[in-house]
Amino acid sequence: MSARRSAASPPRWPRLWLLWLLLLGAAPGPRPGAAFYLPGLAPVNFCEEDKKSDECKADIELFVNRLDSVESVLPYEYTAFDFCQASEGKRPSENLGQVLFGERIEPSPYKFTFNKKETCKLVCTKTYHTEKAEDKQKLEFLKKSMLLNYQHHWIVDNMPVTWCYDVEDGQKFCNPGFPIGCYITDKGRAKDACVISSDYHERDTFYIFNHVDIKIHYHVVETGSMGARLVAAKLEPKSYKHTHIDKPDCSGAPMDISNKASGEIKIAYTYSVSFEEDPKIRWASRWDYILESMPHTHIQWFSIMNSLVIVLFLSGMVAMIMLRTLHKDIARYNQMDSTEDAQEEFGWKLVHGDIFRPPRKGMLLSVFLGSGTQILIMTFVTLFFACLGFLSPANRGALMTCAVVLWVLLGTPAGYVTARFYKSFGGEKWKTNVLLTAFLCPGIVFADFFIMNLILWGEGSSAAIPFGTLVAILALWFCISVPLTFIGAYFGFKKNAIEHPVRTNQIPRQIPDQSFYTKPLPGIIMGGILPFGCIFIQLFFILNSIWSHQMYYMFGFLFLVFIILVITCSEATILLCYFHLCAEDYHWQWRSFLTSGFTAVYFLIYAIHYFFSKLQITGTASTILYFGYTMIMVLIFFLFTGTIGFFACFWFVTKIYSVVKVD
């Protein structure tokens, strides 16, 4: 789920059409210009060198981001490789979300002037002596990166520079990255990008892409005097063994590096750039061609709507059964007047004297409910903002920054909910309760995150969080979130305990022997199937976004799925809760939490399946990182879904026992 940030611009502040199109899962097309933009994200105008002014500039800067691979979880900074470095240039400031996602944007030595064509321009030359240990180490790192298919990520005017190529069915896929190079195995098999040309055929040889043909598309602003705006930047990676390095001509054989090569190896990095006017594409819709080309995310919107309709239909059936059955039950119970009728009572009314009996481990349950409430509200608000376009892929790091800031500020509801339920459970250790709420779940997440960070530090990855950022995160946690949790808990404990509609008996009622289906474990396992069924389609795209480095932009779908998930978790839990109450089992509190929370276990199973079936991750460190970060997501999802189930069941139980006559 990596959102992107900028040196300048994303799609403009969207109107209602964008919200509706996102809800339908479609990418927006060309739109008329607008005068209102999000703060700091306005378009940049460019013009030729002799026409530059305060309103438009001639120099186009190319920034480089971290390099990553689908075969490794470890990203690396551009400076970790022995590529051409910028002699000067200001590094763009990064927001919290970018730092947490390991984005490292650097200035590059590639400089262009608007509408000025360059052909085979030399950037720099790197020389390696295989006898020197330092040079050999640099060369080996470069080879290993080509073997693992590490990808460059370049940025021009906040747009990813894309490599567009043909895939199956005549479609064109635009990848917001391009490989360092490729490898031909000792058996002559072309790996990864080596399939693009028959020139790459030497066995046990690496081919480095040391030349790029860049084409920048622009459209002229209607007023004319304001210059032009960039709407696309595309490149084609190539490999040339430049015979005249001082005056390269970009022709001849590809730049090969044999595994058995020795002596001096020279690699000259060059580029060509051209400009093309494209009046059809507007600046506001310049990301569309990337989103529309993605084969993994470009699906027909009705396929997701179809799955949502199925889930809604199931939810409707559940609701109808519950309402009709309960209505008959309540009507029958309320018509019982004689003692003989009362003696024939059965089912859920029999346990009215025990239904609100405090659960075992009430402290832990209340802590989970507080943390789950915090995550639930955070998710809802984040997805709502994402639907409105505030957290688009162009606004790098915004998604993660928004989520972290919201979580920090939502300490008060977490403390309040924890205190209210802990008090209703009859708990008296309020200090322990509020301390656990503030530190238990966030502490587990931070500990896992810190261990993963130590591995990233050890591997020298750019995804390692700098020490200063870790201190800042701890400061947000201890100085803002913890005090807010205490404030919420103070108001929660100050209020009277939640009033229940029926009194609790002093002596607990004996629970009869349960059938297999009404025992706790089978019910909990069954309860997570339906909620998982409504999210697994989106789960595939989210995991692709995180681990396969694809942009996620279908926030409209995700918001709909979120609402459906809440409804499904609630109704599945209520249905199972009703069956258990009819079987005279009144221990509903933990069961309701675990029934919908078990969806997280299915999530974990799916993540394991995804790892082995979809990813080509190699290496112990990458595997540990994958499962370490997955466990954080599973814990968050467990608290989130469990809280939904508990609140739904609490509402249901309170409702049904408040409408029956109890003598």
Side-chain angles (χ1 to χ4, degrees):
M1 279 177 265
S2 174
R4 305 275 178 195
R5 187 209 148 235
S6 78
S9 62
R12 83 185 59 155
W13 162 242
R15 301 188 182 85
L16 195 59
W17 55 262
L18 179 57
L19 176 58
W20 284 114
L21 283 169
L22 280 169
L23 287 171
L24 295 177
R31 309 287 182 264
F36 178 68
Y37 301 97
L38 290 174
L41 300 173
V44 178
N45 297 321
F46 294 91
C47 51
E48 292 168 17
E49 182 122 39
D50 55 346
K51 297 177 183 175
K52 68 179 181 181
S53 64
D54 293 337
E55 289 186 353
C56 68
K57 61 181 190 177
D59 298 325
I60 300 173
E61 284 186 275
L62 189 147
F63 290 92
V64 289
N65 204 341
R66 65 177 188 176
L67 286 87
D68 54 33
S69 165
V70 293
E71 296 181 33
S72 172
V73 177
L74 303 166
Y76 290 100
E77 289 188 48
Y78 183 83
T79 51
F81 298 84
D82 193 34
F83 297 133
C84 303
Q85 307 292 334
S87 55
E88 58 183 25
K90 188 179 178 183
R91 180 174 178 166
S93 59
E94 291 153 350
N95 59 35
L96 180 62
Q98 283 180 284
V99 175
L100 291 176
F101 271 119
E103 296 213 10
R104 299 291 183 269
I105 298 175
E106 307 263 0
S108 82
Y110 296 84
K111 309 286 182 188
F112 319 127
T113 302
F114 179 73
N115 229 358
K116 183 181 178 184
K117 187 176 180 180
E118 300 277 4
T119 305
C120 205
K121 187 171 182 180
L122 180 68
V123 184
C124 75
T125 305
K126 295 290 180 179
T127 306
Y128 303 95
H129 297 276
T130 52
E131 295 80 15
K132 292 183 180 178
E134 188 182 350
D135 285 3
K136 190 175 181 181
Q137 189 179 357
K138 288 178 182 176
L139 202 57
E140 288 301 319
F141 186 57
L142 205 58
K143 287 179 184 177
K144 185 184 175 185
S145 303
M146 286 189 269
L147 199 60
L148 291 172
N149 196 25
Y150 269 82
Q151 307 257 326
H152 286 280
H153 294 281
W154 290 3
I155 301 162
V156 167
D157 189 32
N158 188 46
M159 289 184 301
V161 181
T162 57
W163 175 34
C164 296
Y165 51 87
D166 293 325
V167 288
E168 66 274 1
D169 302 328
Q171 291 182 319
K172 195 172 277 290
F173 174 54
C174 290
N175 184 7
F178 67 96
I180 296 173
C182 61
Y183 176 62
I184 302 290
T185 65
D186 51 5
K187 293 181 180 177
R189 186 172 69 86
K191 277 196 72 186
D192 302 317
C194 276
V195 298
I196 63 175
S197 174
S198 57
D199 292 338
Y200 311 136
H201 59 266
E202 292 291 333
R203 296 188 175 198
D204 197 20
T205 300
F206 293 91
Y207 290 92
I208 188 164
F209 295 135
N210 58 335
H211 175 84
V212 286
D213 283 335
I214 303 171
K215 180 175 278 190
I216 295 176
H217 299 256
Y218 66 92
H219 87 264
V220 178
V221 183
E222 284 82 353
T223 54
S225 60
M226 291 177 69
R229 292 174 183 172
L230 309 188
V231 292
K234 300 177 184 179
L235 63 71
E236 191 177 344
K238 293 182 178 177
S239 180
Y240 293 116
K241 186 184 285 184
H242 299 290
T243 47
H244 303 288
I245 288 177
D246 295 335
K247 292 182 179 179
D249 58 357
C250 294
S251 62
M255 181 67 221
D256 58 332
I257 306 170
S258 173
N259 253 336
K260 298 167 186 172
S262 59
E264 186 179 78
I265 298 172
K266 284 190 175 184
I267 303 174
Y269 291 91
T270 55
Y271 74 91
S272 300
V273 62
S274 60
F275 292 82
E276 183 179 310
E277 185 178 354
D278 195 335
K280 294 179 183 177
I281 303 175
R282 298 292 177 178
W283 181 86
S285 54
R286 63 185 186 161
W287 285 66
D288 291 4
Y289 80 97
I290 305 172
L291 305 180
E292 288 168 358
S293 77
M294 288 184 178
H296 294 299
T297 54
H298 184 63
I299 60 170
Q300 309 270 328
W301 66 266
F302 64 79
S303 65
I304 285 195
M305 291 305 293
N306 187 40
S307 67
L308 297 183
V309 167
I310 292 168
V311 173
L312 281 171
F313 174 74
L314 289 170
S315 302
M317 290 293 290
V318 168
M320 188 175 70
I321 292 165
M322 294 299 303
L323 289 171
R324 290 191 65 182
T325 310
L326 270 174
H327 182 72
K328 286 179 182 177
D329 279 353
I330 291 166
R332 187 172 73 248
Y333 288 141
N334 286 343
Q335 286 167 5
M336 289 179 183
D337 296 323
S338 65
T339 310
E340 290 78 11
D341 288 336
Q343 285 173 352
E344 292 174 10
E345 286 179 9
F346 65 92
W348 57 271
K349 189 166 182 283
L350 280 175
V351 296
H352 67 80
D354 299 275
I355 192 68
F356 292 107
R357 190 174 298 283
R360 298 189 190 98
K361 308 286 183 186
M363 169 89 77
L364 185 62
L365 180 58
S366 64
V367 168
F368 281 175
L369 290 172
S371 297
T373 303
Q374 197 172 6
I375 294 164
L376 181 63
I377 300 171
M378 176 198 79
T379 308
F380 176 81
V381 176
T382 303
L383 288 179
F384 182 73
F385 279 135
C387 272
L388 295 177
F390 286 104
L391 310 178
S392 71
N395 197 2
R396 302 174 195 280
L399 191 73
M400 191 68 173
T401 305
C402 178
V404 171
V405 170
L406 280 171
W407 180 85
V408 168
L409 297 176
L410 288 167
T412 305
Y416 182 81
V417 168
T418 295
R420 291 283 283 150
F421 279 102
Y422 184 61
K423 193 171 183 178
S424 76
F425 294 158
E428 295 176 354
K429 298 178 181 177
W430 63 271
K431 290 180 183 176
T432 309
N433 179 253
V434 70
L435 284 170
L436 282 174
T437 305
F439 294 107
L440 179 64
C441 296
I444 293 169
V445 171
F446 185 82
D448 188 328
F449 189 73
F450 185 72
I451 292 166
M452 297 302 105
N453 208 49
L454 287 177
I455 295 171
L456 291 166
W457 267 335
E459 296 287 333
S461 170
S462 73
I465 309 300
F467 180 74
T469 307
L470 279 177
V471 172
I473 292 169
L474 285 172
L476 287 171
W477 179 15
F478 284 100
C479 300
I480 300 176
S481 181
V482 172
L484 288 174
T485 306
F486 275 70
I487 291 167
Y490 169 77
F491 286 109
F493 280 115
K494 203 174 178 185
K495 291 200 75 169
N496 295 328
I498 299 169
E499 286 189 24
H500 301 308
V502 288
R503 289 194 303 272
T504 302
N505 296 336
Q506 289 185 342
I507 301 169
R509 179 185 179 84
Q510 187 175 359
I511 299 171
D513 290 336
Q514 300 292 304
S515 66
F516 175 77
Y517 296 106
T518 55
K519 285 180 180 177
L521 193 58
I524 288 168
I525 292 171
M526 288 188 294
I529 294 173
L530 192 61
F532 178 75
C534 80
I535 63 160
F536 84 96
I537 294 174
Q538 286 298 312
L539 204 55
F540 173 77
F541 297 126
I542 292 167
L543 291 176
N544 261 2
S545 170
I546 297 169
W547 302 116
S548 297
H549 314 296
Q550 294 182 7
M551 276 177 223
Y552 188 88
Y553 66 98
M554 297 186 294
F555 294 109
F557 282 148
L558 193 58
F559 189 69
L560 281 178
V561 170
F562 169 79
I563 300 299
I564 297 298
L565 176 65
V566 171
I567 295 167
T568 314
C569 278
S570 304
E571 293 186 340
T573 310
I574 288 170
L575 184 63
L576 287 166
C577 179
Y578 175 70
F579 291 152
H580 292 128
L581 293 180
C582 287
E584 299 176 31
D585 185 349
Y586 52 82
H587 294 306
W588 62 272
Q589 291 97 333
W590 269 111
R591 186 176 290 169
S592 63
F593 189 92
L594 295 173
T595 297
S596 56
F598 202 80
T599 311
V601 176
Y602 291 110
F603 175 19
L604 176 61
I605 294 166
Y606 184 81
I608 295 168
H609 163 73
Y610 181 84
F611 178 82
F612 288 107
S613 66
K614 303 293 181 187
L615 299 179
Q616 301 96 40
I617 288 176
T618 55
T620 308
S622 291
T623 305
I624 293 170
L625 287 165
Y626 176 86
F627 286 105
Y629 287 129
T630 298
M631 291 312 296
I632 292 176
M633 291 188 279
V634 167
L635 174 63
I636 291 170
F637 198 69
F638 169 72
L639 295 170
F640 161 72
T641 50
T643 302
I644 295 168
F646 178 88
F647 282 147
C649 221
F650 179 76
W651 171 83
F652 169 73
V653 168
T654 306
K655 201 77 176 170
I656 65 171
Y657 284 97
S658 64
V659 295
V660 295
K661 295 175 184 175
V662 178
D663 296 328

